[in-house]
Amino acid sequence: MKLAQIPQTVIAPDSWDDITCGRFYRESLEQALLPWWPKIFGFHLVKVGALSAEVCVTECAIAHQVNVAPHGENLHVVADVHQLPFSEKSIDACLLAQTLSYSADPHRILREVDRVLVDDGWLILSTFNPISLVGMGKLIPGLNKKHPYCSRMFTQMRLVDWLGLLNYEIICQTHFHVTPWRRNKGKLNKHVPILGCLTLIIARKRTIPLTFTPLRMRLRKAPVRRTLGATKIYRR
């Protein structure tokens, strides 16, 4: 297995338009997220990366939305996604649309997102699936120099393992196809989902208490007391 952190610089596209059929990938991702936005509540939503900033989230119940990326359009904060300029536990939800696919150190991004997320905060993560037609494009000379084939691709099992180490509960994990060559371009296709070109993971940050709660203390097994000396003879 290749290391997650690499020494090479990964150049991320500024827009979905810089990716072959990128508009259809974005529209399919937006369609897949539609049923989830009404379930996500809070005060602050941060969209990490230039591609995340272009994802439409008008159905989200969180009104205050901030776009963060080192370069791109429609940004509210220009910053390195590996060093988010937010306080600890100040963000309710983070969207990472293909952000890990264009990072030389995806572990660092996940740790930074974990730092700024509140307890029970939401993490919405999407990447390209290496076990798909897009993944096969990395094997074709010439084509593997273009987006999205030149991006970094991680299996869903590996992403779930990373989130498990950070104590995240996986709420949803799925693959889906994008078919730009058909009439309904960008329409979701869930046939043979394991071969879908896009991976979507929705998770929540969980915190396990390290101190005993009063309720648990009361439920502890009562100690066995000594029996009374019923046969003991008392002298008058």
Side-chain angles (χ1 to χ4, degrees):
M1 181 181 295
K2 296 182 179 180
L3 296 176
Q5 183 179 3
I6 58 176
Q8 296 87 355
T9 301
V10 181
I11 301 176
D14 292 336
S15 172
W16 289 94
D17 294 332
D18 298 333
I19 300 175
T20 304
C21 301
R23 181 168 63 90
F24 303 121
Y25 291 126
R26 177 179 55 81
E27 292 176 355
S28 297
L29 180 59
E30 291 172 349
Q31 185 179 350
L33 289 175
L34 276 179
W36 288 98
W37 292 127
K39 304 176 183 179
I40 300 176
F41 293 91
F43 298 98
H44 309 289
L45 167 67
V46 171
K47 296 191 284 187
V48 183
L51 299 181
S52 302
E54 294 187 352
V55 176
C56 180
V57 294
T58 54
E59 300 296 328
C60 183
I62 303 177
H64 185 230
Q65 302 173 7
V66 181
N67 302 332
V68 181
H71 47 77
E73 299 181 357
N74 301 323
L75 299 180
H76 302 118
V77 178
V78 178
D80 186 358
V81 296
H82 300 86
Q83 296 178 341
L84 297 176
F86 304 110
S87 304
E88 295 183 3
K89 298 185 178 182
S90 60
I91 305 301
D92 299 282
C94 283
L95 170 64
L96 279 70
Q98 321 309 115
T99 308
L100 301 186
S101 300
Y102 293 99
S103 170
D105 192 355
H107 286 175
R108 187 177 174 185
I109 292 182
L110 290 178
R111 289 193 299 267
E112 190 67 4
V113 168
D114 180 69
R115 180 185 66 84
V116 302
L117 272 180
V118 300
D119 296 340
D120 295 328
W122 293 81
L123 174 60
I124 303 97
L125 171 68
S126 69
T127 61
F128 293 110
N129 181 18
I131 311 174
S132 64
L133 292 178
V134 176
M136 292 179 59
K138 297 181 71 69
L139 305 177
I140 302 176
L143 188 63
N144 57 7
K145 302 298 182 181
K146 302 178 180 179
H147 298 296
Y149 312 104
C150 64
S151 66
R152 306 190 66 193
M153 301 183 187
F154 308 102
T155 63
Q156 187 179 83
M157 184 180 300
R158 193 175 185 186
L159 294 172
V160 170
D161 183 54
W162 292 351
L163 295 176
L165 293 176
L166 293 174
N167 199 32
Y168 278 75
E169 178 188 0
I170 305 301
I171 306 299
C172 172
Q173 53 178 327
T174 184
H175 300 290
F176 54 87
H177 296 272
V178 180
T179 54
W181 56 85
R182 301 181 62 180
R183 177 177 299 177
N184 295 325
K185 299 180 178 180
K187 183 178 179 180
L188 294 184
N189 187 335
K190 296 185 178 180
H191 295 292
V192 195
I194 194 173
L195 301 179
C197 57
L198 287 183
T199 299
L200 175 63
I201 296 178
I202 299 176
R204 297 194 71 177
K205 178 181 178 179
R206 299 303 189 188
T207 303
I208 301 177
L210 300 180
T211 57
F212 292 104
T213 61
L215 178 60
R216 291 189 177 182
M217 292 295 293
R218 289 196 298 268
L219 294 178
R220 290 179 60 185
K221 186 177 180 180
V224 179
R225 298 181 179 179
R226 294 182 179 181
T227 58
L228 296 176
T231 59
K232 186 175 182 181
I233 301 176
Y234 291 92
R235 294 182 180 179
R236 295 182 179 178

